[in-house]
Amino acid sequence: IVYMSADAGQSQYILNQWVPTIEKLHQKAFIMVRESSHLEPIRPTTLPVVYAPSTRHCEELTRPSVRLAFYLANAGKNVHLLREARLKHVFLNHGDSDKSTSANPVARVYDEVWVAGEAAVERYEAAGIHMPRDHYAVVGRPQVEQLAVGPLNTGGPPTILYAPTFEGYYEESNYSSLERMGPLLIGRILTQYPHVRVIFKPHPASGVQRPGMTEARVAIIEQLGKHPGNHLYVGPESELTLYECFDMADAMISDISSVVTDFLYTERPLVTSNPRRLSRDLFFHTFPTQRASYVMERSLENFTEVMDDVLGPDTQREQRPAVKKWGL
């Protein structure tokens, strides 16, 4: 069982990234959807999709042949299936990052936690969440296997992907640069580096908690429309996937999220925002997988320094493969 329960419409980015991988399994599988809002966003799939709104539906669908359940998020309704002691319950999660939500003590309720790399195991330990080593399985990130690695060398203008995360459901997990510095950041790129093409792909859930996120998104779209350069906005309705955007980007600017962990696989320049104004030492201590990233300060005081390095010598180039191996 691939178990899907979350807030409205989140199957678009929680479930869809795992569908192609689950389809390749030798074992038979089906998707159990708990909320009707998730049905329409599910990408076309060969997997059966079963809508199970009630607890009794969960019970009826746990047939004798079912051996394992994958959980993609720590949703409250997970307990409706976790009560089935006969199953092996595996937390797969929908991304791997230095966000506080990626080291949640709720992980202890599962039989196993499958993670992208050793960095995730160390993240749980650093958060005081101690679990036996055999509680983990390091499975990598199948989503990134087909990504182009290394410089793209397209011969065209350099392309920067700006992919900010959403604001989270708690202020503790609000790592987004979109509202705090996004429009100013993009404005500076368009003004100082007019030869650069910008792809703007905000998190699909941006604005669910803070209206200012929506206002910032609209402001950036308007900026891109006013400047020449074949710039591209990739909204929630677009058929272009995040990973297709990766394969178009010579570098990426993002926030603390699984997006930066996945882009690390490409070994191309990565810029991570620091909207909380942490000191450099505290930033890397709190977010250790960012050691191979350039850090963009909220004030943009180091904007030119970072962009010149990213578009020029790329002094972080040698560090990225080692962090990639540890994180993925």
Side-chain angles (χ1 to χ4, degrees), residues 90-91 112-117 121 133-140:
V90 172
F91 186 55
E112 294 182 3
V113 177
W114 291 15
V115 297
V121 179
R133 189 59 180 82
D134 61 7
H135 200 78
Y136 298 97
V138 175
V139 298

Side-chain angles (χ1 to χ4, degrees), residues 260-300:
V260 297
T261 312
D262 285 355
F263 191 79
L264 187 61
Y265 184 83
T266 72
E267 300 182 13
R268 294 193 290 278
L270 176 61
V271 181
T272 307
S273 72
N274 182 20
R276 296 182 178 181
R277 300 189 179 98
L278 301 180
S279 69
R280 193 59 57 95
D281 288 345
L282 182 57
F283 186 88
F284 290 130
H285 175 76
T286 309
F287 312 121
T289 59
Q290 306 310 305
R291 291 199 301 262
S293 298
Y294 298 93
V295 179
M296 185 72 75
E297 300 299 338
R298 178 172 175 173
S299 64
L300 299 184

Side-chain angles (χ1 to χ4, degrees), residues 13 21 30 65 106 110 119 124 140 147 169 171 178 180 195 214 218 220 224-225 272 294 313:
Y13 61 91
T21 300
F30 71 93
S65 60
V106 174
Y110 304 101
Y124 277 104
L147 291 178
Y169 293 100
E171 193 56 33
L178 178 56
R180 293 155 162 159
H195 64 294
T214 301
V218 172
I220 292 175
L224 297 179
T272 307
Y294 298 93

Side-chain angles (χ1 to χ4, degrees), residues 144-159:
V144 303
E145 287 179 345
Q146 304 304 316
L147 291 178
V149 177
L152 296 180
N153 298 319
T154 60
T159 296

Side-chain angles (χ1 to χ4, degrees), residues 85-231:
R86 180 180 59 81
L87 303 184
K88 174 177 281 191
H89 301 277
V90 172
F91 186 55
L92 194 58
N93 211 345
H94 55 282
D96 193 289
S97 75
D98 285 325
K99 285 186 175 183
S100 60
T101 51
S102 290
N104 192 322
V106 174
R108 295 191 182 104
V109 307
Y110 304 101
D111 296 307
E112 294 182 3
V113 177
W114 291 15
V115 297
E118 289 296 333
V121 179
E122 295 181 22
R123 186 180 303 120
Y124 277 104
E125 285 295 316
I129 304 166
H130 306 299
M131 296 181 283
R133 189 59 180 82
D134 61 7
H135 200 78
Y136 298 97
V138 175
V139 298
R141 283 287 283 169
Q143 294 84 351
V144 303
E145 287 179 345
Q146 304 304 316
L147 291 178
V149 177
L152 296 180
N153 298 319
T154 60
T159 296
I160 300 288
L161 169 63
Y162 178 45
T165 190
F166 88 122
E167 61 269 35
Y169 293 100
Y170 301 93
E171 193 56 33
E172 177 204 14
S173 57
N174 181 8
Y175 303 96
S176 182
S177 62
L178 178 56
E179 181 181 13
R180 293 155 162 159
M181 54 193 281
L184 184 58
L185 170 69
I186 296 302
R188 290 281 296 273
I189 293 176
L190 296 173
T191 301
Q192 290 187 224
Y193 303 91
H195 64 294
V196 168
R197 181 193 184 207
V198 175
I199 299 175
F200 174 43
K201 183 174 178 20
H203 191 289
S206 297
V208 297
Q209 297 286 314
R210 297 178 63 90
M213 297 283 285
T214 301
E215 294 169 7
R217 175 175 56 83
V218 172
I220 292 175
I221 295 170
E222 291 177 349
Q223 286 179 320
L224 297 179
K226 293 176 182 177
H227 287 77
N230 194 28
H231 306 298

Side-chain angles (χ1 to χ4, degrees), residues 213-268:
M213 297 283 285
T214 301
E215 294 169 7
R217 175 175 56 83
V218 172
I220 292 175
I221 295 170
E222 291 177 349
Q223 286 179 320
L224 297 179
K226 293 176 182 177
H227 287 77
N230 194 28
H231 306 298
L232 180 63
Y233 165 59
V234 183
E237 70 287 344
S238 174
E239 294 183 359
L240 200 62
T241 68
L242 173 65
Y243 301 106
E244 288 170 330
C245 291
F246 283 0
D247 278 340
M248 300 164 62
D250 296 287
M252 185 179 75
I253 302 174
S254 189
D255 310 318
I256 300 300
S257 71
S258 62
V259 171
V260 297
T261 312
D262 285 355
F263 191 79
L264 187 61
Y265 184 83
T266 72
E267 300 182 13
R268 294 193 290 278

